[in-house]
Amino acid sequence: MPDVTIAVDANGADLGPAEVAAGAITAAATGIRVVLFGPAEAMAGARGVPGIEIVDAPVSIAKAPDPASAVRSTPEASIVQAARAVGAGEADALVSGGSTGTALAAALFNVKRDRGIHRPALAVPLPVPGQSVTFLDVGANAEVRPEHLVQFAFMGAGLASAVLGVADPRVALLSIGEEAVKGNQLVREAHALLLERAAGGGLNFVGNVEGNDLTGGPADVIVADGFSGNVALKTIEGTSQAVLSAVRAAALSSPRAKLGGLLLRGALQAFRDQIDPEASGGAYLLGLRRLGVVPHGRFTRRGFSQAIVLAARGVDQDVVGRTHRALEDAGALRGAPSDAAPSVSTP
Amino acid sequence: MPDVTIAVDANGADLGPAEVAAGAITAAATGIRVVLFGPAEAMAGARGVPGIEIVDAPVSIAKAPDPASAVRSTPEASIVQAARAVGAGEADALVSGGSTGTALAAALFNVKRDRGIHRPALAVPLPVPGQSVTFLDVGANAEVRPEHLVQFAFMGAGLASAVLGVADPRVALLSIGEEAVKGNQLVREAHALLLERAAGGGLNFVGNVEGNDLTGGPADVIVADGFSGNVALKTIEGTSQAVLSAVRAAALSSPRAKLGGLLLRGALQAFRDQIDPEASGGAYLLGLRRLGVVPHGRFTRRGFSQAIVLAARGVDQDVVGRTHRALEDAGALRGAPSDAAPSVSTP
């Protein structure tokens, strides 16, 4: 991908800016141009590496308790500078090493929401084996209205068809029962709106799914509010790790089991790789004028490299344009001009 | 437990009333008295078994779309008769084979809420290895207010200390970030209320936990609204099964792996048993004048037997009385008499 430039905020990662810079070096080796915003000193290892530009931006607001006001009051912060570069078209996409809330606030102010979009959403491929399920919102919006969920449905379907090549993706709503009457008020109202959309032919809505369907259900795209979506995603990650730890413990419980574990190790590694969150690179931040990618703050260089590659791939495949057109074709963009005042939610 | 009588609704289980009756036979063999409500013909296998009484109640409302109105209009339904027997003191606890919504509605009308309780809640021991985490609400209330979550905290703490023997249980709130400002409005308000309680010394509130903490976190009791709680519980169950299936698939992928799987099988079985939802018997329905237990509708006879044993154990350990006293001691019972009108929520 020779013509893609990714702006990367190196502040906020658990392992520090040097780890993010190390990931950038790997990504740059594939031909992606990377602009690193962070403390230049800490990222000295990336200095002079072909394809990498370093902008000295030591100020971090990654841990600010109120992201929106921190973004407003700290124009020199690394995430703000990175988002500004994307907003100005100097870079094609944003990758944030810091908190989701700060990245979201900086992006809303500087990259801006795409025309007709209520709220940006975080979309991930679920870290489950043998599946290709797109799950959103996993944390951009702790509080949403039913019409937001409807737009998330189209955004997820657009992503699944544009990027993953899923034709006519089956879209489901996360609830606590399959019947339309199940769930809280938000979900029941969204269900009714999605049924209308499906009747209009614009969306392949397959109804509600439950938590256990996330890891093997009948849907290509699953829509949730950012609170339950975030809880569910982290529950999947935690449970996978807990079960694998238990398998490991079982494989140490006797000489016989130890031998079994040794013989099985190679076959299990492929599975471990499949569910490794670092392998996916993080979540797409959809609904902005340009693409964002939010990796886990706890990623190593490998995960940050993957995040930069994910962002570049999304630019290359025009995720923003194709998602926008999917929403436009379905008439799912927000119409009312009175609706257009910018707002920032703090997840 | 010679002096405990459990009323069991045999209608609504996926495998039918005969399977529930088979579970009752196993439970009755331990000395528990069981009254089975359901179609007598289908439960003929339990006829004449010592300790088992059969009440012919063929009418089922387990699949009724509106549980509250079905309960009101169908006094002859098996779940209504079973709940009535518990309300009248003819049985000590209720076990329902049908839908949670119907069991909850029948119990609210016929067993009635315990004095001072806002809302009943469903509490489960989390099916994770090596842990003893009580999680509630897992589906009784799709919509709650902050003060309901506070009461759930005390109910969970009461259960954990009374039944599981956890001294001064650490209580956490499920959210999407550890900081008090994270989460949706409901969780932020509940967090503030719980901090007040903790400051008063009545509750060991340890703050927010995230989805990944459910399977290995720093809490003995985790509180959630019934929507996210249900999503999280089912996500844990689905993910555990998906990971175990993947391990099984890995163990079939080559002759070497096959041998490894064989050698490991015994050690893994213990773990499988630990996370098997049937082994736990289901969820306690807390907050009523007498105890309820809600097993999964998909349980086999083994799970229903466990559910009956769980109910009897809860009666024997006076879960209702001890939970009530824990709430009373903490001043967490609802005071205002104007608050006392009965209401039924349909999850």
Side-chain angles (χ1 to χ4, degrees), chain B residues 22 52 172 178 180 183 204 227 238 266 277 317:
Chain B
I52 294 192
E178 288 180 12
N204 186 3
F227 187 89
Q317 293 169 328

Side-chain angles (χ1 to χ4, degrees), chain A residues 306-326:
Chain A
Q306 278 302 104
I308 295 167
V309 170
L310 184 70
R313 199 188 304 143
V315 171
D316 191 53
Q317 292 169 328
D318 191 21
V319 166
V320 169
R322 292 164 86 168
T323 305
H324 185 91
R325 280 191 295 280

Side-chain angles (χ1 to χ4, degrees), chain A residues 13 21 25 42 44 49-50 57 61 65 68 75 77 119 141 162 164 198 204 218 232 260 280 302 321 324 332 341:
Chain A
I25 293 172
V49 172
I61 55 169
R119 298 277 194 91
N141 309 275
L164 304 173
N204 185 4
S280 75
R302 195 165 62 85
H324 185 91

Side-chain angles (χ1 to χ4, degrees), chain A residues 215-265:
Chain A
T215 49
D220 302 303
V221 175
I222 299 177
V223 175
D225 69 280
F227 187 88
S228 359
N230 187 278
V231 165
L233 177 65
K234 287 178 179 157
T235 301
I236 291 176
E237 293 172 357
T239 307
S240 301
Q241 292 311 317
V243 174
L244 284 178
S245 298
V247 171
R248 202 176 303 125
L252 292 172
S253 60
S254 75
R256 178 193 168 93
K258 240 178 227 172
L259 177 60
L262 273 175
L263 292 171
L264 202 53
R265 186 182 287 171

Side-chain angles (χ1 to χ4, degrees), chain B residues 180-204:
Chain B
V181 297
K182 290 290 178 75
N184 51 23
Q185 197 185 339
L186 168 72
V187 163
R188 289 196 306 273
E189 290 182 20
H191 188 108
L193 292 175
L194 288 164
L195 279 182
E196 283 175 27
R197 290 291 183 171
L203 189 75
N204 186 3

Side-chain angles (χ1 to χ4, degrees), chain A residues 129 142-143 174-176 182-185 187 210-212 214-215 227-228 230-232 234-236 238-240 242-243 246-247 250-251 253 256-257 259-260 262-264 267-268 271 347, chain B residues 129 142-143 174-176 182-185 187 210-212 214-215 227-228 230-232 234-236 238-240 242-243 246-247 250-251 253 256-257 259-260 262-264 267-268 271 347:
Chain A
E143 219 96 42
L174 183 64
S175 186
I176 60 173
K182 290 291 179 73
N184 52 22
Q185 197 185 340
V187 162
E210 301 183 63
N212 48 311
L214 288 167
T215 49
F227 187 88
S228 359
N230 187 278
V231 165
K234 287 178 179 157
T235 301
I236 291 176
T239 307
S240 301
V243 174
V247 171
S253 60
R256 178 193 168 93
L259 177 60
L262 273 175
L263 292 171
L264 202 53
L268 274 181
F271 164 69
Chain B
E143 219 98 39
L174 184 63
S175 186
I176 60 173
K182 290 290 178 75
N184 51 23
Q185 197 185 339
V187 163
E210 302 184 62
N212 48 311
L214 288 167
T215 49
F227 187 89
S228 0
N230 186 277
V231 165
K234 288 179 178 157
T235 300
I236 290 175
T239 306
S240 301
V243 174
V247 171
S253 60
R256 178 192 167 94
L259 179 59
L262 273 174
L263 293 170
L264 203 52
L268 274 181
F271 165 68

Side-chain angles (χ1 to χ4, degrees), chain B:
Chain B
M1 286 167 282
D3 286 329
V4 177
T5 303
I6 309 296
V8 177
D9 172 24
N11 273 320
D14 292 358
L15 296 176
E19 191 73 13
V20 180
I25 293 172
T26 308
T30 71
I32 302 166
R33 279 195 302 268
V34 181
V35 188
L36 283 167
F37 295 80
E41 205 176 336
M43 304 188 296
R47 198 178 299 150
V49 172
I52 294 192
E53 182 190 335
I54 292 178
V55 175
D56 188 29
V59 176
S60 172
I61 56 170
K63 309 291 177 206
D66 182 347
S69 78
V71 164
R72 262 185 294 246
S73 63
T74 325
E76 72 278 22
S78 55
I79 183 67
V80 179
Q81 291 198 51
R84 218 158 44 217
V86 176
E90 295 157 18
D92 303 296
L94 176 70
V95 170
S96 151
S99 81
T100 303
T102 316
L104 181 61
L108 278 167
F109 276 107
N110 296 288
V111 183
K112 304 235 186 315
R113 274 185 295 178
D114 195 12
R115 183 174 52 81
I117 296 288
H118 289 289
R119 298 277 193 90
L122 280 168
V124 290
L126 279 178
V128 289
Q131 294 274 320
S132 168
V133 178
T134 299
F135 187 40
L136 74 169
D137 172 30
V138 297
N141 308 277
E143 219 98 39
V144 299
R145 295 198 303 266
E147 60 269 31
H148 300 162
L149 293 180
V150 172
Q151 232 182 28
F152 295 170
F154 282 102
M155 287 157 75
L159 181 67
S161 59
V163 177
L164 303 173
V166 182
D168 197 23
R170 298 159 301 168
V171 178
L173 185 62
L174 184 63
S175 186
I176 60 173
E178 288 180 12
E179 304 89 334
V181 297
K182 290 290 178 75
N184 51 23
Q185 197 185 339
L186 168 72
V187 163
R188 289 196 306 273
E189 290 182 20
H191 188 108
L193 292 175
L194 288 164
L195 279 182
E196 283 175 27
R197 290 291 183 171
L203 189 75
N204 186 3
F205 177 55
V206 296
N208 291 349
V209 295
E210 302 184 62
N212 48 311
D213 297 316
L214 288 167
T215 49
D220 302 303
V221 176
I222 299 177
V223 175
D225 68 281
F227 187 89
S228 0
N230 186 277
V231 165
L233 177 65
K234 288 179 178 157
T235 300
I236 290 175
E237 293 173 357
T239 306
S240 301
Q241 292 312 317
V243 174
L244 284 178
S245 298
V247 171
R248 202 176 303 125
L252 292 172
S253 60
S254 74
R256 178 192 167 94
K258 240 179 227 173
L259 179 59
L262 273 174
L263 293 170
L264 203 52
R265 187 181 286 172
L268 274 181
Q269 191 53 51
F271 165 68
R272 272 180 213 281
D273 293 345
Q274 271 185 305
I275 66 162
D276 177 10
E278 293 213 33
S280 76
Y284 272 129
L285 181 54
L286 301 175
L288 302 169
R289 290 189 190 169
R290 289 199 168 83
L291 196 60
V293 165
V294 180
H296 267 287
R298 65 160 196 273
F299 275 4
T300 65
R301 58 192 66 194
R302 193 165 63 86
F304 287 110
S305 164
Q306 279 302 105
I308 295 166
V309 170
L310 184 70
R313 199 187 304 142
V315 171
D316 191 53
Q317 293 169 328
D318 190 20
V319 166
V320 168
R322 292 164 86 168
T323 306
H324 185 92
R325 281 191 294 280
L327 285 159
E328 194 162 37
D329 291 350
L333 290 172
R334 187 174 63 166
S338 67
D339 238 343
S343 81
V344 168
S345 79
T346 304

